[in-house]
Amino acid sequence: MTTEVGKTALITGATSGIGKELATLFAKDGYNLILVARQEDKLQEVAEQFRQQYGTSNITVVESDLSKSESPQQVYDEVKRQGLTVNVLVNNAGIGEHGKFATETDLQKELGIIQLNIASVVQLTKLFTKEMVERNEGKILMLGSIASVLPNPLMAVYGATKSFIYSFSEALRNELKDTNVTVTVLMPGATDTDFFNKAGAMNTKAQEQARSTNPADVAKTGYEALMAGKDKVVHGLMNKVQVAGGYVLPDQVVTSNVRKLMEDKDSPQKQEDEKTSALALGIGIASVVVAGIVIASMYRNASPYDRLRYRYKAKKALGSIKNVAASVGDSVNGAYHNAKADVEQALA
């Protein structure tokens, strides 16, 4: 156990799912806790659990509905009123809404999602990061998603909010590069929490897949990345495959594949869709291999400046295919190693 006596972590959405599991890890490592969620009784229940199991004595609970515009300032004011210093900010709270944006989903709920997933994150980050910079010390964990880089049909607003989190975090991390304040984005896929129930997406293929992903494992991945000061981490090998594919496949193919996960799991097109997805992934892998070889061939007759650019692009292409190859089998690994040999020979 890494004892962090005297340091305080503030976690939003701390009473269930990934948020509770993250709070558990902070409790195990000796952090003081500020737990934020909507229900006072559940907050007190979690706080008592931590006191009993981990001996965490300094726990502050703040009942707050962060889907309301005034809530972030109220949370900050309560923290200041109690004279607490936040060393780690975990922006975990978030919700989604399932259905077609134009005809099925509720606008007011979606505006609440934007407030919770974006506006509250920005406000809390603004308030606490300013103090972190003044102290030249602090850590921020953002709960992103693989939806941060993969458009999310049938959860269009939710996916867009996670894209915002990714872009905002990358920009903020760059602005803070000369300080000792770090920003980390945790990017899980479908996880076995109450998210799909609250979003009205219980009969989707994604929800079915979520049963195999334990929120405690996701939290551990994010916690370790946060403590190591990493900029982002994707949890799970197959999620890494999806993200890598998202960078090389045509946008329409990526979006179509994600939609299949958000559709009814009893769809008669399920097997055909799975074949289509596998084919699309194979095409994406092949495209990266070809890209690496093409870049290498151009390298030979390039100027010194262009050679530097081509070396960078070739290594990036090989990096993408390596990440995919690590997860999808021997045939893909063979394609990767063959392409790698061709590219490295050309660049030698």
Side-chain angles (χ1 to χ4, degrees), residues 138-142 166 169-170 173-174 181-187 220-235 240:
K139 296 180 182 295
I140 302 166
L141 181 64
M142 304 285 200
Y166 183 85
S169 300
E170 286 293 312
R173 182 180 177 89
N174 177 269
V181 181
T182 63
V183 181
T184 302
V185 184
L186 171 58
M187 299 167 62
K220 185 173 184 290
T221 296
Y223 188 80
E224 290 176 349
L226 175 71
M227 293 304 156
K230 294 182 178 179
D231 61 338
K232 55 183 172 288
V233 61
V234 180
H235 174 78
K240 291 176 182 178

Side-chain angles (χ1 to χ4, degrees), residues 293 296-297 299-300 341-348:
I293 295 172
S297 66
Y299 173 85
R300 291 179 176 176
D342 290 342
V343 173
E344 288 182 343
Q345 182 178 2
L347 295 179

Side-chain angles (χ1 to χ4, degrees), residues 51-311:
R51 292 186 186 102
Q52 294 292 330
Q53 291 185 353
Y54 309 116
T56 311
S57 58
N58 195 342
I59 303 177
T60 302
V61 300
V62 181
E63 180 184 8
S64 180
D65 181 356
L66 291 171
S67 66
K68 297 180 179 179
S69 60
E70 65 274 14
S71 293
Q73 185 66 51
Q74 291 174 351
V75 170
Y76 178 78
D77 291 343
E78 179 62 19
V79 170
K80 294 295 98 183
R81 187 187 70 81
Q82 297 200 33
L84 302 173
T85 296
V86 172
N87 304 99
V88 182
L89 173 64
V90 179
N91 285 311
N92 164 78
I95 56 173
E97 168 81 332
H98 183 260
K100 294 179 180 178
F101 175 78
T103 58
E104 295 177 354
T105 54
D106 179 75
L107 177 59
Q108 292 307 309
K109 184 171 183 179
E110 286 170 325
L111 292 175
I113 290 170
I114 293 170
Q115 174 63 42
L116 175 60
N117 294 13
I118 295 180
S120 288
V121 169
V122 170
Q123 193 169 356
L124 287 173
T125 304
K126 183 83 165 183
L127 293 168
F128 288 110
T129 304
K130 184 177 180 181
E131 296 184 353
M132 291 179 181
V133 171
E134 290 173 352
R135 297 193 310 269
N136 196 30
E137 173 272 332
K139 296 180 182 295
I140 302 166
L141 181 64
M142 304 285 200
L143 213 296
S145 166
I146 61 171
S148 296
V149 294
L150 304 175
N152 211 60
L154 303 182
M155 275 198 182
V157 171
Y158 169 79
T161 65
K162 292 304 177 180
S163 293
F164 176 91
I165 292 298
Y166 183 85
S167 177
F168 174 60
S169 300
E170 286 293 312
L172 181 58
R173 182 180 177 89
N174 177 269
E175 292 181 8
L176 298 172
K177 67 180 181 177
D178 295 324
T179 74
N180 289 320
V181 181
T182 63
V183 181
T184 302
V185 184
L186 171 58
M187 299 167 62
T191 304
D192 192 15
T193 68
D194 201 35
F195 173 83
F196 288 97
N197 178 43
K198 292 178 179 177
M202 285 298 289
N203 202 44
T204 60
K205 297 169 189 175
Q207 190 277 330
E208 188 176 55
Q209 290 184 2
R211 295 172 188 165
S212 63
T213 302
N214 190 326
D217 295 332
V218 175
K220 185 173 184 290
T221 296
Y223 188 80
E224 290 176 349
L226 175 71
M227 293 304 156
K230 294 182 178 179
D231 61 338
K232 55 183 172 288
V233 61
V234 180
H235 174 78
L237 290 176
M238 292 312 298
N239 291 327
K240 291 176 182 178
V241 170
Q242 282 188 276
V243 169
Y247 289 127
V248 297
L249 291 169
D251 290 343
Q252 289 183 332
V253 173
V254 173
T255 306
S256 177
N257 286 343
V258 175
R259 175 167 179 161
K260 293 180 180 78
L261 293 174
M262 299 310 304
E263 290 177 340
D264 193 303
K265 65 184 179 182
D266 300 320
S267 168
Q269 293 294 317
K270 183 175 182 179
Q271 291 185 347
E272 189 63 32
D273 289 345
E274 289 175 349
K275 291 178 182 178
T276 302
S277 297
L279 176 61
L281 180 59
I283 292 171
I285 292 168
S287 70
V288 179
V289 174
V290 172
I293 295 172
V294 169
I295 290 167
S297 66
M298 295 172 67
Y299 173 85
R300 291 179 176 176
N301 298 319
S303 67
Y305 170 74
D306 284 336
R307 284 193 171 204
L308 289 174
R309 289 196 303 118
Y310 291 146
R311 288 183 71 89

